[in-house]
Amino acid sequence: MKHPFERKNIRGERLVEFLRAIGEEGVKTEDLYFLCIGTDRSSGDAFGPLVGSWLREAGYRNVTGTLDWPCDADTMEEHLQEIPAGKIVLALDACLGREASSVGLFQVAAEPIEPGKSMGHTLPKVGHFSIAAIVNRNEGQPYRVLQTTSLYLVMTMARELVQAVQTAFPLEAAPGITRPLRFRER
């Protein structure tokens, strides 16, 4: 098997394995900060804000980038300033794959993500670790492709990631947090 932090594409059921490897490096739930990149104005780019919103609903506090305040090209600098010093940043974003067979997979790595790269944006590389949901195939018109990406696929992938986070980095019982966010099984 490849090293757990080598950049690779994995299926959703392997997300827990990747996240647990981060924990095995000594990162605790309270050390981890989720930078959820994307916008609610594009179905294909809504992955990050959906994950951020659902993590918040589940009780995670170290989250920036939600449906009500997305972390996109216009707000990236503000969101980065929210991250307290000393936190380990897990950057989450949607991306487009080169091949149709990669759609639905997650690209994981122990390195920063380059948000907006496929759209031609020059934004800072962010994150100690990164997970990018491959939501569609890059067919040369990334803006159009993201606008016409299946929201169902994006929501399914966001749900998979939130469930993996809850498994690998569970919250300690605290006042006001009674149970993990549960999604209805398909």
Side-chain angles (χ1 to χ4, degrees), residues 34-170:
F34 300 94
L35 177 63
C36 304
I37 303 162
T39 182
D40 65 334
R41 296 176 183 262
S42 167
S43 60
D45 207 22
F47 173 77
L50 282 167
V51 171
S53 293
W54 288 340
L55 287 173
R56 281 270 176 94
E57 285 178 27
Y60 290 82
R61 301 284 181 247
N62 292 337
V63 177
T64 191
T66 58
L67 289 169
D68 62 325
W69 195 44
C71 177
D72 57 21
D74 296 330
T75 62
M76 175 78 65
E77 290 301 322
E78 285 179 78
H79 284 281
L80 292 176
Q81 290 173 12
E82 283 186 5
I83 302 171
K87 295 293 182 186
I88 302 299
V89 177
L90 176 56
L92 311 168
D93 198 1
C95 74
L96 300 174
R98 291 189 177 116
E99 301 162 8
S101 62
S102 66
V103 175
L105 300 177
F106 295 87
Q107 186 175 89
V108 297
E111 57 188 55
I113 204 165
E114 296 182 61
K117 184 178 179 182
S118 66
M119 299 297 291
H121 293 294
T122 305
L123 298 169
K125 292 181 181 182
V126 292
H128 297 93
F129 298 93
S130 59
I131 299 176
I134 305 172
V135 299
N136 210 332
R137 182 171 173 235
N138 190 346
E139 297 173 344
Q141 299 175 337
Y143 181 78
R144 186 190 66 73
V145 171
L146 286 172
Q147 290 293 324
T148 59
T149 292
S150 164
L151 181 58
Y152 177 77
L153 172 65
V154 173
M155 290 179 70
T156 299
M157 294 182 78
R159 190 175 294 123
E160 283 181 294
L161 180 54
V162 169
Q163 290 172 333
V165 167
Q166 290 178 305
T167 300
F169 289 97

Side-chain angles (χ1 to χ4, degrees), residues 13-43:
E13 59 266 13
R14 298 212 36 226
L15 285 169
V16 171
E17 179 183 330
F18 175 75
L19 293 168
R20 283 189 172 144
I22 294 171
E24 289 168 4
E25 295 291 310
V27 178
K28 295 177 175 59
T29 303
E30 60 272 10
D31 301 327
L32 200 55
Y33 203 95
F34 300 94
L35 177 63
C36 304
I37 303 162
T39 182
D40 65 334
R41 296 176 183 262
S42 167
S43 60

Side-chain angles (χ1 to χ4, degrees), residues 54 57-60 162 166-167 170-171 177-183:
W54 288 340
E57 285 178 27
Y60 290 82
V162 169
Q166 290 178 305
T167 300
L171 292 173
I177 300 172
T178 55
R179 60 182 165 73
L181 186 63
R182 301 265 188 235
F183 296 100

